[in-house]
Amino acid sequence: MASFVLTGVLAIVGAAGIRRALTGTVEGHWVSRLVGVFGASFLLVAVFTADAGAGFPAGTPEAPAPSLSWHGALHMLSATAGFLALCAAFLMLARHFAARRRRGWALGSRLVPLGILVGFAASSATVLAFTAGAALGLLWLTAVTARLATALPPAQN
């Protein structure tokens, strides 16, 4: 739970930095809000715990959970909404990077949402697919946030 809270808070703080980095652009308006939704979803995921099953957490049998609890359903709904918001943010960032002729960053921002969605779709077969999709999204968010931070002018004292 602590890692979900920490990730959520860091994503929300990152959203504020993204807004600053993209000030005055349509992308800055939307990307910061979408990343903020992603961060908030992690806070909800921390509150509503996932049901054990399909090998999660470690040591749990590979069999699917017998039924979905209300907190497990809210966990999944929160995570789904958050990762869809993150995918939308990446697609907006692709537009930003393409307009600035950052082709590699634009391509990555278009492909990563596909990887996230494929990972989530394949999660019914293996938890590892879900983990890979989620990790890809978090890694790309870290990379683009760092990229945008390097483009910021130095802070005025």
Side-chain angles (χ1 to χ4, degrees), residues 82-156:
F83 275 99
L84 288 175
L86 186 63
C87 288
F90 289 153
L91 294 174
M92 290 295 298
L93 282 169
R95 173 184 154 149
H96 170 80
F97 288 129
R100 283 146 188 86
R101 303 208 188 289
R102 301 281 187 214
R103 289 186 179 98
W105 288 98
L107 180 62
S109 294
R110 287 185 186 106
L111 293 177
V112 167
L114 291 173
I116 292 170
L117 295 175
V118 166
F120 279 38
S123 67
S124 61
T126 175
V127 173
L128 184 58
F130 169 81
T131 303
L136 179 63
L138 289 167
L139 288 171
W140 191 250
L141 179 59
T142 301
V144 296
T145 302
R147 172 69 184 103
L148 293 171
T150 62
L152 283 172
Q156 301 296 320

Side-chain angles (χ1 to χ4, degrees), residues 5-146:
V5 170
L6 181 60
T7 302
V9 168
L10 288 173
I12 292 168
V13 170
I18 289 170
R19 184 173 183 86
R20 181 171 171 240
L22 301 178
T23 297
T25 67
V26 173
E27 295 87 0
H29 177 80
W30 286 104
V31 171
S32 61
R33 283 171 172 72
L34 290 165
V35 172
V37 167
F38 174 71
S41 78
F42 263 69
L43 298 178
L44 290 172
V45 163
V47 173
F48 302 110
T49 57
D51 294 323
F56 174 83
T60 303
E62 286 294 325
S67 64
L68 190 60
S69 67
W70 66 270
H71 55 83
L74 288 174
H75 180 92
M76 288 179 53
L77 181 63
S78 299
T80 300
F83 275 99
L84 288 175
L86 186 63
C87 288
F90 289 153
L91 294 174
M92 290 295 298
L93 282 169
R95 173 184 154 149
H96 170 80
F97 288 129
R100 283 146 188 86
R101 303 208 188 289
R102 301 281 187 214
R103 289 186 179 98
W105 288 98
L107 180 62
S109 294
R110 287 185 186 106
L111 293 177
V112 167
L114 291 173
I116 292 170
L117 295 175
V118 166
F120 279 38
S123 67
S124 61
T126 175
V127 173
L128 184 58
F130 169 81
T131 303
L136 179 63
L138 289 167
L139 288 171
W140 191 250
L141 179 59
T142 301
V144 296
T145 302

